Amino acid sequence: MKIKDRLNKYKGYVLNLLVPALVFGFITGTLTSVIVVLYKLCAKHIIHLSENAYVYLRAHLYLLPLVLLLALGISGLLAYIYKKSPNIKGGGIPTSVGILRGIITFKWLKNLIGVFVLSLISFLIGVPLGNEGPSVQMGTAIGRGSVYTFAKKHRAWDRYSMTGGACAGFSVATGAPISGILFAIEEAHQRISPTIVIVASSSVLFANITSKLLCPLVGVSERLFEIPGIPALSVKEYWLPLVVGLTVGLFSVAFLYYYRLIDNFHDKTLQKVPHFLKIFAILAITVILGIVSFSNVSTGHELILELFENKKTVLTLAIILIVRTTLTLSANASGITGGVFIPILALGALVASLVGEGLLALGVDSELYTLILVLGITACISGSMKMPLTAIIFSIEALSCYDNIIPVVITAFIAFLVTEMFGVKSINDVVIESRMDDEDSVAEPRVIDTFVTVQKGAFAIGKQIRDIFWPRNLFVLSLKHTSSNAEVDEHGGKEIREGDILHIRYTAVDDLTSQELLAIVGNQTITENIDEKI
């Protein structure tokens, strides 16, 4: 390659990839961090208020009818809002993943405000949902808002910026920056590309710098957990992560099947029941269980800390596990706004605590109890969410497993292997599948087979086909370089150049797909050759 051509290539790389990625990373990461830190501060005080309210209600039970009446009013309000803005409801991470994959559509500002407010209402009532999901969803919304507000002519960066926002939201919410980056690769897009890595990394970098500056000022902890004194496991004790991984892996399988059961019950058996009554049933059960014990409800964060600090009886652990599992999944199926990440961590800790009690009874050193809980949390992330790499890194970053990397890897691998053997999908994929029917348009889809030419200065220039976020249901069948007249298929490793001709096929029900496509290849008139044979 000539020096001039090489310099032009580097110049194009810097101007077409590196600079925009850093700019969007700075804007999205910084704004996401500010919003999420504020959100964590509000959630902290509201959860504390909720706990005190349950203590007061426990001592003044005559107020229960009034509280239930208030819950009925809130249910009606939530049902109305969810009807008007359906993508505000449910778990934040599945919604964000669906948006990032191009499956779910949403309006970013309405989504941002709605998720912020409605999830805080969930925390006030004590619904067992977490704040990390809403943080990811708000980061996704901020990512879109950054592009739509500051770079309207560069819409092709939309899903990349949203990816950066989602990663930043996860990172600030959990205090695990590397896990935040891995979230984009392992879960959101399930592939790796230079653009994804650069955008995710830059967003997380600026988000964490901002978080480190803001958190001490407002009195919010950067880290999700502070777990001191985890003992290192010796090689002869490596059977222990095998046991924990297997047990929690089996629980993950049951958990995922149980969600499908609850979701089907919600959608089919209760199909004719008004939505507000379904929500009210969850809120009423939450209130009653919260009066019995606050451990039964709320996000699960405090429950995890309690399990680390002191042990509960086996019967108590089993009851809390069953109650929280049912209530969390029911709340998610009914569409109540909130995250399932921390509640899943709490379930993993509960299962591991039961395992720990059994192992201690068999003579295992009691000093290993804390490690068993950590391994249980790791296994539940790996098994229930099907994110083994993220689980491993999260355990090192957020759970202080620096001296137990091999046991963590073993646990995550075993739990993931068990769920793979049973052929279950992750909780995020299951939730997304259950919502896809609501997202699909009732309009008759048309299959379009056509050719487009990469225009001068287009976003696609310098990138490979597999590294671009093409619109949903769009396939690049071939690429022809006009200079060499050579063709490569969609898996080819050659970069897209100006003037290249792409043979594409996609399914469309409106003009959104065409608009997304033109944002990538440049403005032109698309000749829509409708393929009626497909």
Side-chain angles (χ1 to χ4, degrees):
M1 182 182 293
K2 296 180 180 179
I3 295 178
K4 183 178 179 180
D5 293 337
R6 190 179 296 275
L7 289 176
N8 287 334
K9 181 179 180 180
Y10 291 154
K11 180 180 178 181
Y13 179 82
V14 171
L15 295 180
N16 202 31
L17 175 59
L18 189 58
V19 171
L22 290 175
V23 170
F24 284 120
F26 170 74
I27 296 173
T28 301
T30 302
L31 291 177
T32 297
S33 184
V34 171
I35 296 298
V36 172
V37 169
L38 174 63
Y39 175 69
K40 289 173 68 175
L41 176 64
C42 294
K44 173 185 174 182
H45 290 295
I46 286 180
I47 292 172
H48 181 67
L49 176 63
S50 175
E51 185 173 10
N52 289 337
Y54 273 109
V55 172
Y56 185 83
L57 184 59
R58 194 175 299 125
H60 302 81
L61 289 178
Y62 62 87
L63 294 175
L64 180 58
L66 181 62
V67 172
L68 292 178
L69 184 62
L70 179 61
L72 181 62
I74 293 175
S75 301
L77 176 63
L78 293 179
Y80 175 79
I81 294 174
Y82 294 151
K83 183 178 181 180
K84 295 295 183 180
S85 303
N87 290 320
I88 295 177
K89 66 181 182 181
I93 291 181
T95 300
S96 295
V97 171
I99 292 170
L100 297 178
R101 293 179 185 174
I103 298 173
I104 297 175
T105 58
F106 79 129
K107 295 182 179 180
W108 73 270
L109 185 58
K110 182 186 292 186
N111 197 274
L112 173 63
I113 297 172
V115 169
F116 191 107
V117 175
L118 297 187
S119 60
L120 292 180
I121 293 176
S122 299
F123 300 154
L124 180 61
I125 298 171
V127 180
L129 297 171
N131 64 4
E132 77 305 320
S135 297
V136 172
Q137 191 169 347
M138 288 188 290
T140 304
I142 292 170
R144 168 159 288 180
S146 299
V147 174
Y148 279 33
T149 304
F150 301 107
K152 293 182 179 180
K153 295 182 179 180
H154 300 278
R155 294 289 179 90
W157 281 96
D158 178 38
R159 282 164 66 187
Y160 294 94
S161 182
M162 289 195 294
T163 299
C167 295
F170 184 92
S171 173
V172 176
T174 62
I178 302 177
S179 302
I181 298 171
L182 276 177
F183 169 78
I185 298 169
E186 189 175 32
E187 178 59 18
H189 299 295
Q190 297 178 338
R191 57 174 160 148
I192 186 170
S193 78
T195 310
I196 295 175
V197 173
I198 293 172
V199 172
S201 299
S202 60
S203 299
V204 168
L205 171 65
F206 291 116
N208 275 269
I209 292 173
T210 306
S211 176
K212 286 185 179 295
L213 294 174
L214 291 180
C215 284
L217 295 178
V218 299
V220 173
S221 175
E222 292 179 54
R223 295 177 60 84
L224 192 59
F225 300 108
E226 296 289 346
I227 309 173
I230 298 180
L233 206 63
S234 63
V235 176
K236 66 180 181 180
E237 295 169 320
Y238 276 12
W239 60 269
L240 197 148
L242 291 173
V243 173
V244 176
L246 178 61
T247 306
V248 179
L250 291 172
F251 168 77
S252 298
V253 173
F255 173 80
L256 294 168
Y257 278 123
Y258 192 32
Y259 177 77
R260 286 190 181 277
L261 182 66
I262 289 177
D263 190 54
N264 288 334
F265 178 76
H266 179 273
D267 291 340
K268 296 178 181 179
T269 306
L270 302 180
Q271 185 178 12
K272 296 183 179 180
V273 177
H275 191 197
F276 83 95
L277 287 180
K278 298 177 186 178
I279 296 175
F280 173 68
I282 301 299
L283 300 189
I285 294 171
T286 298
V287 170
I288 294 171
L289 292 175
I291 293 174
V292 177
S293 173
F294 197 68
S295 296
N296 292 327
V297 297
S298 193
T299 65
H301 184 269
E302 292 300 321
L303 173 61
I304 294 174
L305 295 180
E306 287 179 14
L307 293 175
F308 278 118
E309 292 172 359
N310 57 74
K311 302 181 181 64
K312 299 179 181 292
T313 65
V314 172
L315 180 59
T316 301
L317 290 171
I319 292 174
I320 295 176
L321 176 63
I322 295 171
V323 168
R324 286 193 64 90
T325 301
T326 303
L327 196 55
T328 296
L329 295 181
S330 299
N332 188 271
S334 67
I336 298 176
T337 305
V340 296
F341 185 78
I342 294 179
I344 284 177
L345 303 192
L347 297 179
L350 284 166
V351 176
S353 186
L354 286 167
V355 174
E357 291 295 330
L359 293 175
L360 294 182
L362 295 174
V364 172
D365 191 341
S366 60
E367 291 185 359
L368 296 176
Y369 180 78
T370 300
L371 177 59
I372 292 172
L373 293 189
V374 169
L375 294 178
I377 293 173
T378 304
C380 215
I381 299 173
S382 180
S384 299
M385 306 193 77
K386 305 298 287 288
M387 298 193 301
L389 297 180
T390 303
I392 293 168
I393 299 301
F394 181 83
S395 298
I396 297 171
E397 285 187 298
L399 302 176
S400 306
C401 285
Y402 313 106
D403 299 325
N404 289 286
I405 295 177
I406 299 301
V408 163
V409 172
I410 294 173
T411 306
F413 171 75
I414 294 298
F416 182 76
L417 181 62
V418 170
T419 55
E420 283 290 289
M421 290 175 62
F422 280 88
V424 294
K425 296 183 178 180
S426 73
I427 183 68
N428 294 330
D429 287 337
V430 172
V431 173
I432 291 172
E433 283 183 3
S434 69
R435 295 180 57 176
M436 282 184 66
D437 291 339
D438 295 332
E439 287 293 320
D440 289 338
S441 173
V442 295
E444 184 69 24
R446 61 189 190 278
V447 178
I448 297 171
D449 189 295
T450 188
F451 296 85
V452 293
T453 302
V454 179
Q455 304 296 307
K456 182 179 180 180
F459 171 83
I461 294 175
K463 299 178 178 65
Q464 297 181 8
I465 293 174
R466 62 177 177 266
D467 295 333
I468 295 176
F469 291 154
W470 299 98
R472 180 190 177 194
N473 293 331
L474 185 147
F475 301 93
V476 179
L477 303 179
S478 68
L479 178 151
K480 180 183 290 185
H481 294 310
T482 53
S483 58
S484 62
N485 202 38
E487 292 191 15
V488 294
D489 64 20
E490 62 177 320
H491 300 293
K494 294 185 178 181
E495 294 180 348
I496 298 175
R497 309 168 189 170
E498 179 185 340
D500 284 354
I501 298 175
L502 301 178
H503 181 193
I504 61 172
R505 180 178 292 145
Y506 61 93
T507 303
V509 294
D510 51 35
D511 294 331
L512 292 178
T513 302
S514 299
Q515 293 173 11
E516 287 186 60
L517 176 62
L518 294 180
I520 296 171
V521 300
N523 288 327
Q524 58 194 280
T525 300
I526 299 178
T527 302
E528 296 189 349
N529 302 313
I530 299 177
D531 193 336
E532 298 179 351
K533 296 180 181 180
I534 300 177

